[in-house]
């Protein structure tokens, strides 16, 4: 172990590696030919207690490339299963390796995972590698989500490997360093429930409680509390996605965390025109994970999670099923409450009135009918600068607008505080697909990272509403073929 590596600030613990051996496979990353640092998230590095300068040295970049194992790391690939588009299957980290858990100066614990570090025992036919474009895309979207205030895994760095990955065409290879509260998924529980013992399931549940839900760890009914807490976090998370028009695209149970963070940015994208049927993913031909379906799919995934916990919920199976069903049946209401609260804020409403839901639904129906841009409609309402957008010119909208203004007058808060609430709830910009594509094209084809860096900068504070953000709020020119995303494996 060299002095330089120590000075990088890595401070690993390996609690996951202390779990039963069947939970994972020890696996070192496979070294790459000539790693080069493409992007480093300095503020995130600092908050993790890392040395920004050191991370950029040859040794520092070597860690991100999997060529150097930092002191204290115990690299492993996690085992998990999952329902993929409804079909249960064994999965696991086929192209990811967990280096360990970084303990920050504040004592917090974060998984540090390399995505694209070569084959693992779970790789099946895959090469365990990742391409530069999709890794930069994950970096941009996950950091945009963080800027929007949505719980998410973070991106610490992307390195190019100097090797090609073979896909439909040869692409430059890359590795993303992902930071997460943990990588425990619904699929992790499914794996243990299916192939492990009840004792192992209890170990996983206890570990998860300690790591993510210490407040309920001592509850007598702690496994029911675990289920209820996960349901609460997912209800809050999915509402946040809906409120900004985020479409995950592949909400399989292996892509749903127990911590409540958004994970696995594959075919995800943000909706431009408001339409609940919007789907971007090329593989989602049935529209299973369409925008409007996301809350239902989250509920479905949580039901799969509840099933895994049945042996821990009650000795009597019928009682266990009853407890699980009661918990699951709360999800939609919890989701709806989060969503309604968020929508009220987007419209500058502080207090609650029964008719608010109709007011909101009527606006959304008009947006769908007149093909209005989701983000920009709320942004325009925020600044009260109705332009010549089709929606705003309709008599239907004029009527709705009056109803809304009257509604605002039926609350004590001033117009100024209402405007402030709207500014804090309606982003000036989202990572528009055409902007993200332009940034990736410049980076991957030209080696020009300026476009991406500028985009990341404006996306980091989407509620600032600065003049320079205006340029980034333009929707794409309508095209005859809809925008399509690919899993990017
Ligand atoms: P994802 O669609 O990224 O959620 O991945 C689904 C499963 O496929 C996970 O088990 C991944 O580890 C695995 N996988 C994806 N890409 C690769 C790859 N290039 N090599 C090996 N396994 C992969
Ligand atoms: Mg995944």
């Amino acid at each position: 172990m060299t002095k330089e590596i120590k000075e990088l600030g890595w401070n690993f613990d390996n609690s996951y590696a202390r779990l039963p051996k069947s939970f994972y496979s020890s696996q070192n990353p496979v070294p790459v030919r000539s790693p080069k640092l493409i992007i480093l998230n300095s503020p995130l590095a600092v908050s993790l207690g890392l040395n920004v300068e050191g991370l950029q040295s040859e040794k520092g970049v070597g860690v991100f490339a999997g060529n150097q194992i930092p002191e204290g790391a115990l690299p492993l690939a996690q085992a998990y299963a999952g329902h993929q588009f409804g079909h249960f299957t064994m999965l696991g980290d086929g192209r990811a390796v967990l280096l360990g858990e970084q303990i920050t100066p504040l004592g917090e614990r974060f998984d540090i995972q390399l995505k694209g570090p070569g084959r693992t025992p779970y790789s099946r036919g895959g090469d365990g590698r990742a391409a530069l474009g999709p890794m930069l895309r994950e970096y941009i979207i996950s950091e945009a989500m963080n800027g929007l205030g949505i719980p998410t895994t973070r991106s610490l760095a992307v390195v190019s490997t100097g090797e090609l990955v073979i896909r439909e065409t040869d692409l430059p290879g890359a590795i993303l360093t992902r930071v997460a509260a943990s990588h425990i998924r619904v699929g992790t529980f499914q794996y243990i429930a299916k192939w492990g013992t009840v004792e192992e399931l209890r170990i996983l549940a206890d570990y998860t409680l300690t790591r993510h839900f210490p407040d309920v760890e001592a509850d007598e009914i702690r496994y029911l509390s675990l289920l209820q807490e996960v349901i609460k976090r997912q209800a809050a998370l999915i509402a946040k996605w809906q409120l900004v028009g985020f479409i995950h695209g592949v909400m399989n149970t292996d892509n749903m965390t127990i911590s409540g963070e958004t994970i696995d940015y594959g075919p995800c994208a943000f909706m431009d025109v408001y339409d609940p049927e919007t789907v971007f993913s090329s593989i989602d031909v049935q529209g299973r994970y369409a925008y409007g379906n996301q809350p239902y799919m989250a509920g479905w995934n949580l039901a799969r999670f509840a099933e895994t916990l049945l042996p821990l919920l009650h000795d009597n199976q019928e009682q266990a099923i009853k407890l699980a069903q009661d918990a699951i049946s709360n999800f939609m209401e919890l989701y709806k409450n989060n969503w309604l609260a968020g929508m009220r804020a987007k419209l500058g409403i502080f207090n609650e009135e029964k008719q608010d839901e109709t007011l909101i639904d009527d606006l959304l129906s008009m947006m769908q009918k007149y093909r209005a841009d989701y983000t920009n409609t709320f942004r325009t309402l925020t600044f009260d600068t109705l332009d010549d957008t089709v929606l705003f010119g309709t008599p239907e909208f004029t009527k709705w607008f009056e109803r809304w203004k009257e509604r605002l007058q039926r609350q004590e808060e001033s117009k100024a505080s209402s405007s402030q609430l709207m500014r804090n709830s309606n982003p000036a910009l989202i990572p528009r697909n055409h902007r993200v594509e332009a940034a990736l094209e410049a980076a991957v084809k030209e080696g020009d990272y300026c476009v991406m860096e500028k985009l990341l900068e404006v996306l980091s504070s989407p509620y600032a509403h600065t003049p320079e953000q205006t340029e980034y709020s333009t929707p794409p020119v309508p095209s005859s073929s809809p925008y399509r995303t690919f899993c990017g494996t």
Side-chain angles (χ1 to χ4, degrees):
M1 182 53 50
T2 64
K3 189 162 156 265
E4 287 146 279
I5 285 274
K6 264 193 188 150
E7 285 171 359
L8 299 180
W10 290 116
N11 178 29
F12 283 114
D13 184 32
N14 305 280
S15 64
Y16 207 84
R18 293 194 287 275
L19 292 173
K21 292 273 174 279
S22 58
F23 285 32
Y24 63 89
S25 297
S26 292
Q27 176 68 54
N28 277 349
V30 181
V32 299
R33 196 174 303 145
S34 52
K36 187 172 153 252
L37 184 64
I38 301 291
I39 188 161
L40 173 68
N41 192 335
S42 301
L44 178 61
V46 170
S47 71
L48 290 168
L50 298 170
N51 172 347
V52 171
E53 214 176 301
L55 292 177
Q56 296 172 66
S57 69
E58 203 185 321
K59 295 277 157 54
V61 175
V63 173
F64 293 139
N67 288 6
Q68 298 269 350
I69 310 295
E71 188 183 347
L74 279 179
L76 60 87
Q78 291 177 323
Y80 56 84
H83 275 93
Q84 298 200 304
F85 291 89
H87 303 285
F88 185 75
T89 181
M90 175 62 200
L91 295 160
D93 287 334
R95 57 154 175 177
V97 160
L98 177 70
L99 291 180
E101 299 135 29
Q102 172 76 358
I103 309 299
T104 71
L106 295 175
E108 292 169 302
R109 175 183 300 266
F110 288 101
D111 273 10
I112 306 294
Q113 192 202 61
L114 303 183
K115 193 167 171 180
R119 287 179 53 79
T120 79
Y122 312 108
S123 297
R124 296 168 288 169
D127 59 2
R129 291 296 184 192
L132 179 59
M135 292 307 99
L136 290 178
R137 192 167 190 278
E138 169 153 349
Y139 189 111
I140 295 169
I141 311 256
S142 62
E143 288 308 298
M145 291 289 269
N146 182 62
L148 287 162
I150 300 177
T152 176
T153 63
R154 302 286 305 274
S155 297
L156 178 61
V158 173
V159 294
S160 58
T161 58
E163 298 174 5
L164 291 173
V165 292
I166 303 151
R167 299 292 181 260
E168 271 168 28
T169 54
D170 289 357
L171 300 169
I175 297 175
L176 170 83
T177 302
R178 177 157 78 176
V179 179
S182 87
H183 285 83
I184 305 169
R185 306 148 190 263
V186 169
T188 316
F189 276 83
Q190 289 182 294
Y191 164 74
I192 300 294
K194 173 94 177 165
W195 289 293
T197 62
V198 173
E199 199 35 47
E200 284 174 334
L201 184 65
R202 194 182 304 280
I203 291 171
L204 178 62
D206 286 339
Y207 176 80
T208 307
L209 278 160
T210 307
R211 195 153 170 190
H212 296 302
F213 306 98
D215 294 352
V216 299
E217 193 181 11
D219 285 6
E220 212 170 304
I221 48 147
R222 63 185 190 277
Y223 303 118
L224 181 60
S225 301
L226 170 63
L227 175 58
Q228 288 166 337
E229 291 302 311
V230 173
I231 289 172
K232 261 194 234 164
R233 286 206 193 165
Q234 285 295 336
L237 178 68
I238 307 297
K240 286 190 163 146
W241 288 3
Q242 299 303 96
L243 290 164
V244 298
F246 173 75
I247 303 171
H248 184 283
V250 60
M251 286 176 72
N252 295 332
T253 54
D254 50 301
N255 291 336
M256 183 184 252
T257 61
I258 297 298
S259 68
E261 288 183 339
T262 312
I263 195 171
D264 270 0
Y265 293 89
C268 66
F270 281 72
M271 177 171 67
D272 294 303
V273 166
Y274 175 78
D275 184 349
E277 286 180 16
T278 309
V279 174
F280 291 116
S281 170
S282 60
I283 56 169
D284 191 3
V285 277
Q286 310 273 334
R288 179 181 170 95
Y289 298 135
Y291 171 78
N293 273 355
Q294 295 192 124
Y296 303 100
M297 287 298 120
W300 192 88
N301 290 350
L302 289 165
R304 304 290 78 75
F305 176 53
E307 282 166 5
T308 71
L309 294 178
L310 289 177
L312 304 181
L313 291 179
H314 205 287
D315 291 339
N316 175 308
Q317 206 193 355
E318 265 172 42
Q319 293 283 332
I321 292 174
K322 170 93 178 62
L323 289 170
Q325 277 173 344
D326 288 350
I328 289 294
S329 65
N330 277 335
F331 172 75
M332 265 304 158
E333 194 184 326
L334 284 170
Y335 161 74
K336 193 76 183 286
N337 291 342
N338 277 287
W339 180 83
L340 261 180
M343 272 294 172
R344 283 196 177 96
K346 281 173 91 68
L347 289 174
I349 299 172
F350 286 91
N351 60 346
E352 292 180 17
E353 279 186 13
K354 219 166 164 253
Q355 316 87 292
D356 290 342
E357 202 175 336
T358 320
L359 186 75
I360 295 161
D361 285 345
D362 289 350
L363 174 64
L364 293 175
S365 307
M366 284 186 296
M367 282 164 66
Q368 185 176 1
K369 184 169 165 192
Y370 296 107
R371 303 202 53 75
D373 183 87
Y374 180 73
T375 308
N376 285 355
T377 301
F378 283 103
R379 200 170 131 263
T380 305
L381 292 176
T382 302
F383 293 97
D384 225 343
T385 47
L386 303 188
D387 49 25
D388 59 4
T389 301
V390 177
L391 169 68
F392 301 139
T394 64
E396 251 172 295
F397 177 80
T398 309
K399 271 199 202 137
W400 178 90
F401 192 74
E402 278 165 23
R403 262 166 74 204
W404 173 50
K405 290 284 159 179
E406 281 164 24
R407 172 64 185 89
L408 290 181
Q409 276 164 13
R410 291 199 299 274
Q411 62 184 5
E412 283 173 11
E413 286 76 5
S414 65
K415 198 167 175 304
S417 28
S418 178
S419 297
Q420 189 57 50
L421 178 63
M422 289 183 76
R423 272 201 294 279
N424 296 341
S425 313
N426 295 311
L429 77 171
I430 47 162
R432 300 258 180 201
N433 303 319
H434 61 297
R435 287 290 188 172
V436 175
E437 293 297 327
L440 294 179
E441 180 139 345
V444 178
K445 292 211 178 123
E446 327 282 339
D448 168 9
Y449 306 114
C450 298
V451 187
M452 176 175 70
E453 277 159 15
K454 189 82 215 318
L455 179 64
L456 281 165
E457 196 190 317
V458 284
L459 286 169
S460 68
S461 51
Y463 303 105
H465 296 281
T466 59
E468 58 176 351
Q469 287 176 330
T470 310
E471 181 199 333
Y472 287 86
S473 66
T474 323
V477 181
S479 124
S480 52
S481 51
Y483 181 71
R484 281 279 162 265
T485 56
F486 301 90
C487 262
T489 51

